[in-house]
Amino acid sequence: MSLAHQAMALEGAYVGGAVGYNKTDDQKFDYAGESTTVAQPSGVLQLPLLPNSGIGATNEYKDAEMFQVLLGYSFASGLRPEFELAYRKSEPDDILGSQGQSLDTTGVKLTTTSGMANLWYDLFPSWSIHPYVGGGIGFARFKLNKQPTDRVTIGPTTTVPVADICAAQSCEGPRKADDASLAYQLGAGIRWDVLDYLAVGLDYRYVVAGDAQFYNFKDQPETYLKSDYKAQSLLLSASYYFDRPAPVAPVPVAPVAVTAPAAPVDADGDGVPDDMDKCPGTAAGVQVDDKGCPLPP
């Protein structure tokens, strides 16, 4: 197929997939929840007291992989509705506490699974290489594992070191939590119809999700961390089209009729056509020359 003007070949339903890199923006976890008092047990060991406001931690993420599964339909007009299921993994490069100090990143991981209903528009649908723009809306589900915080305070006793208390109690914050929120994305890219059933693309996505609430503090369940989510992704995609373009039938060429030449008129039957006969009306049986005149005896 040519790289420029051609009839739109890749129309109809398709399935596809994509792989690439995901960069999650710095994520700030704030304390929230009901301000209730934790009843302290008798004895030396005290329960952690978790504040309900302020910064719990700020995660700075490194690049990580992501994957997509796609199902869509291409119209000749260039509109392309699509459903997308994506999986993103984020691991912190550094975690900062409320005072800017580094916290332990061991085992910390945020995974995001999202489902989006997208609408893309191919700018030049009649070309085999065509850029596109668009966006989508859907839901994102987050799973947070072993997120540390540094805002844990201890009860009124100071006779036992904090390390001893944290050995007996959950002082690190939520070890595992998950939540879902509304999400949307903007995107752009360029696609190339390399075959009559295959398109490949280079795709960019910017996804934003609302506040997610991560509960599961062991000793103060009314306190939770909340945070929004933003990420940018760069992907390589491939789409397989079920419909094949109809073959273009050659235009039939009408056969040229061959007309046999008309027989020359020879009124006197002497074998010389009338238009060359200098002696018309020669009697039958008389021998004539090439001009139709009788030969001398």
Side-chain angles (χ1 to χ4, degrees), residues 20-74:
Y21 286 100
N22 180 65
K23 174 62 176 178
T24 303
D25 290 1
D26 293 351
Q27 193 173 20
K28 185 176 69 172
F29 293 93
D30 293 320
Y31 281 109
E34 299 178 8
S35 298
T36 57
T37 302
V38 176
Q40 298 293 331
S42 60
V44 177
L45 294 181
Q46 300 291 311
L47 292 175
L49 299 178
L50 304 177
N52 299 103
S53 63
I55 299 174
T58 300
N59 291 13
E60 298 177 354
Y61 293 101
K62 52 190 174 183
D63 294 345
E65 65 273 16
M66 72 162 293
F67 308 92
Q68 282 183 339
V69 177
L70 310 171
L71 176 63
Y73 193 95
S74 291

Side-chain angles (χ1 to χ4, degrees), residues 95-117:
I95 299 178
L96 303 178
S98 59
Q99 304 302 316
Q101 73 277 27
S102 293
L103 304 179
D104 186 14
T105 62
T106 304
V108 181
K109 182 172 65 174
L110 175 70
T111 57
T112 307
T113 304
S114 60
M116 297 277 188

Side-chain angles (χ1 to χ4, degrees), residues 223-247:
T223 299
Y224 61 85
L225 295 176
K226 67 175 183 178
S227 178
D228 60 4
Y229 177 86
K230 298 177 182 178
Q232 302 182 68
S233 307
L234 188 63
L235 303 156
L236 291 175
S237 63
S239 300
Y240 175 85
Y241 282 76
F242 296 102
D243 297 334
R244 299 289 191 274

Side-chain angles (χ1 to χ4, degrees), residues 31 36-41 45-51 149 151-156 162 165-173 217-223:
Y31 281 109
T36 57
T37 302
V38 176
Q40 298 293 331
L45 294 181
Q46 300 291 311
L47 292 175
L49 299 178
L50 304 177
T149 63
R151 293 293 300 275
V152 175
T153 58
I154 306 303
V162 173
I165 296 177
C166 290
Q169 303 291 338
S170 175
C171 296
E172 293 184 351
F217 282 99
K218 176 181 176 182
D219 300 312
Q220 191 165 335
E222 63 275 358
T223 299

